[in-house]
Amino acid sequence: MGGDDMGQKRGGDLPLFLDERTDLRSYRRKIKEKNGATRKNHKNFSRLSSLVSRLFSIFVATMSEAINNVKQAFDAELAQTDLTNQEAVNNLRVKYLGKKGAVTDLMKQMGTLSAEERPAYGKLVNELKVAVSEAIDKAIETANQAALQKKLESGFVDTTLPGAGIPAGSTHPLYDVREEIIDFFSQMGFEVDFGRDIETDWYNFEALNTPPDHPSRDMQDTFYVDDKVMLRTHTSGTQIHYMETHKPPFRMIAPGHVFRVDNDATHAPMFQQCEGLVVDENISFADLKGVLQVFMNKLFGEGVKTRFRPSFFPFTEPSAEMDVSCVFCGGKGCRRCKGTGWMEIGGCGSVDPNVFKNCGIDSEKYTGFAFGFGLDRIAMLRHAIPEIGLLTSNDQRFLSQF
Ligand code: PHE
C-alpha cells in the first residue's frame, strides 16, 4: 500500500474538499487536526480495550484461583481419607460432587457469567470436575475392593445358599384349561375352529332354530352392534359356520369368548366357552355321554361321576344339562354344591334336524351331538376360585398363585 493511501485512510471520511473558499494552509491545518483527533480516538479505544482485557484476565485469574483452591482442598482431603472405608469415600464424593458439593457450586456459577466469560471459566471448571470425578471413581473402586476383601477374609461364604432368584411367570388358569381341552379333543380327532366374536342374528340365533320372538332369547340378552349384528352369546354359532363349510363326517371343538348382559359372582359380561360338535351316521346320545364322561375324568380326575338332566335348547333334541359330582366333597353335599353333591358344567344334546336343514345337511342320513360348557366355570371349580371376576381382574395377588 502506498503512502498516499495511508494518508487518505487517516483522513477518514471528513469532507475535505478543496474549493475556492479554502486556502491550502487552512486545508493542511484541518488535515492535521483531523488526524490528531483520530489518533486520539485510537488511543482512547486501545486504552479501553486494554482495560477490558486486564479486567478479564483479573477475572480469569480470580476464577482460576477459586477453582484451584477447591482442587487443592480436594486433593488434601483425598490424601487424608481412608480409602478402605466406603462411607468416608462416599462422604468425600458428596462433599465435592453432590448436589450442594463444592464442584457443583462452581458449575452453577456458569449461569451468572456473560457470554465472553463463560468459555474460559467453563473450560477450567470442567477440567476440575473431570479430575475430581476420576479421583473419586478410583477411590470408590478401591473402597469396594477393600470391602469385598474384608468380607472374604472375615469368614465363611455359604455357596449353598439359594440365590435371590428370578420370579418365573406362569400361564393364566383360563389359558391352561383351554389348552388342556384343545389337547384332549385333538387327540380324539377333533378339529379346532375359533369362530368369530361378532355374529349376525342368523348364526347366533336363527340358524340355531331360535326365531326372533323365541323366549329362549331372553336368557341370552347380549350387546347389539345393530338389529342384526351382535357380540355372540355362545359359541354355538360356530357349529353353523362349520357345517356350512364342511361335509360330514366331522368332529370339531370351538373355544372362544362369549358375551352376555350379566354380572354377579358367578356370571360375567364376558367369559369363555367351548363348543363341541360331532356329525356322522349313527351318532347317538350314548356317544355324547361317553365322550363327556372321559373328558370330565380328564379334567377332574378318575373318581368324578357325570349325570345328564333333561333340559331345553332350541338347537338340540333331546337336550340335557350335564353335572359332575361335586369336586369339593366328592358328592356328599357341601356348602359349595349347596348340599346337592352335584355341580353344573354345561349344556348338550343331539343336533336338532332343523339345524341340519339350515346348513344343508341331510338329517335322514346324519345324526350328531353338540355340547357347550364354560371354561371360567371349569377353572373356578379346579382352583376353588370364589368369584368369576377374579379371572379377568389382572390382579397380581390372584395371578401369582398359579
Ligand atoms: N350354547 C348353549 C349355552 O350357551 C350350550 C349348548 C351348546 C347346549 C351345545 C347344547 C348344545 O348355554
Side-chain angles (χ1 to χ4, degrees):
M1 229 187 259
D4 279 344
D5 283 341
M6 292 289 276
Q8 267 173 16
K9 247 234 160 104
R10 259 193 251 139
D13 13 53
L14 264 187
L16 298 175
F17 304 119
L18 258 181
D19 62 27
E20 55 271 32
R21 277 171 293 150
T22 324
D23 65 19
L24 205 55
R25 231 187 277 149
S26 73
Y27 173 69
R28 284 202 180 115
R29 204 183 62 236
K30 272 190 183 164
I31 292 266
K32 254 185 168 168
E33 278 168 8
K34 169 70 180 92
N35 283 349
T38 314
R39 236 174 265 131
K40 217 168 162 188
N41 279 347
H42 277 177
K43 247 189 205 150
N44 283 346
F45 175 73
S46 62
R47 245 188 238 138
L48 188 68
S49 67
S50 84
L51 182 67
V52 168
S53 72
R54 275 194 54 205
L55 277 176
F56 188 65
S57 48
I58 291 172
F59 158 78
V60 173
T62 320
M63 283 310 185
S64 64
E65 200 181 320
I67 290 168
N68 264 335
N69 286 346
V70 170
K71 176 76 167 77
Q72 275 167 17
F74 172 75
D75 286 343
E77 263 189 81
L78 180 66
Q80 304 270 310
T81 306
D82 172 9
L83 292 185
T84 63
N85 181 341
Q86 283 174 307
E87 200 185 327
V89 170
N90 191 46
N91 288 344
L92 186 66
R93 183 188 65 79
V94 172
K95 185 164 176 190
Y96 284 87
L97 297 174
K99 255 192 199 154
K100 290 180 183 155
V103 175
T104 316
D105 267 355
L106 288 175
M107 299 287 288
K108 280 187 198 150
Q109 299 291 321
M110 289 276 274
T112 66
L113 300 183
S114 71
E116 292 82 34
E117 293 164 338
R118 216 169 284 149
Y121 178 75
K123 185 167 172 286
L124 289 175
V125 86
N126 209 39
E127 281 166 5
L128 169 72
K129 191 182 175 189
V130 171
V132 171
S133 303
E134 278 173 2
I136 289 276
D137 285 348
K138 250 196 214 154
I140 289 176
E141 180 58 29
T142 313
N144 287 351
Q145 281 297 335
L148 182 68
Q149 195 58 34
K150 218 169 163 182
K151 226 181 183 177
L152 289 174
E153 280 164 10
S154 73
F156 167 72
V157 177
D158 186 356
T159 52
T160 65
L161 278 176
I166 301 165
S170 60
T171 47
H172 193 280
L174 273 175
Y175 177 85
D176 286 345
V177 169
R178 198 183 74 163
E179 286 304 291
E180 214 173 298
I181 290 172
I182 292 175
D183 249 25
F184 174 82
F185 283 105
S186 301
Q187 283 171 33
M188 287 187 127
F190 284 60
E191 199 183 332
V192 182
D193 184 342
F194 290 100
R196 57 277 277 151
D197 288 355
I198 299 178
E199 285 287 19
T200 61
D201 192 82
W202 171 257
Y203 288 101
N204 197 70
F205 290 124
E206 275 199 60
L208 289 162
N209 207 24
T210 316
D213 296 317
H214 197 284
S216 79
R217 285 201 183 199
D218 293 349
M219 289 168 9
Q220 299 195 354
D221 200 5
T222 185
F223 303 95
Y224 282 89
V225 177
D226 62 35
D227 279 358
K228 293 279 167 206
V229 181
M230 69 200 71
L231 299 185
R232 63 178 174 186
T233 58
H234 52 181
T235 43
S236 299
T238 313
Q239 287 187 36
I240 307 299
H241 287 288
Y242 196 89
M243 286 194 271
E244 280 177 350
T245 49
H246 294 77
K247 281 198 170 12
F250 51 69
R251 295 165 243 199
M252 72 85 146
I253 55 164
H257 291 93
V258 300
F259 309 84
R260 292 187 196 175
V261 183
D262 261 342
N263 207 0
D264 59 38
T266 51
H267 298 87
M270 182 194 77
F271 57 103
Q272 291 189 53
Q273 279 191 334
C274 184
E275 195 78 10
L277 174 68
V278 174
V279 179
D280 200 345
E281 291 175 40
N282 301 317
I283 294 289
S284 74
F285 204 93
D287 296 314
L288 167 64
K289 287 179 80 173
V291 167
L292 289 185
Q293 175 67 54
V294 178
F295 178 44
M296 289 304 123
N297 289 141
K298 169 84 174 98
L299 281 182
F300 298 115
E302 283 308 316
V304 83
K305 290 201 251 334
T306 55
R307 79 172 181 188
F308 294 80
R309 279 182 291 116
S311 184
F312 174 81
F313 297 103
F315 38 94
T316 44
E317 186 61 38
S319 302
E321 298 278 358
M322 187 192 66
D323 299 338
V324 290
S325 50
C326 177
V327 297
F328 300 106
C329 65
K332 284 192 215 78
C334 67
R335 188 172 51 86
R336 290 217 171 86
C337 59
K338 298 196 182 86
T340 63
W342 294 96
M343 287 182 143
E344 192 182 313
I345 291 289
C348 55
S350 298
V351 180
D352 192 294
N354 278 343
V355 176
F356 279 144
K357 199 161 83 203
N358 289 335
C359 303
I361 289 177
D362 181 358
S363 62
E364 293 297 321
K365 185 170 178 196
Y366 294 106
T367 50
F369 67 78
F371 57 84
F373 43 81
L375 302 194
D376 303 65
R377 186 150 178 75
I378 292 172
M380 286 168 79
L381 290 180
R382 280 195 136 179
H383 302 291
I385 297 166
E387 264 186 52
I388 192 168
L390 284 167
L391 286 167
T392 45
S393 64
N394 241 357
D395 188 331
Q396 275 292 325
R397 290 166 302 178
F398 171 74
L399 292 173
S400 60
Q401 298 177 47
F402 302 97

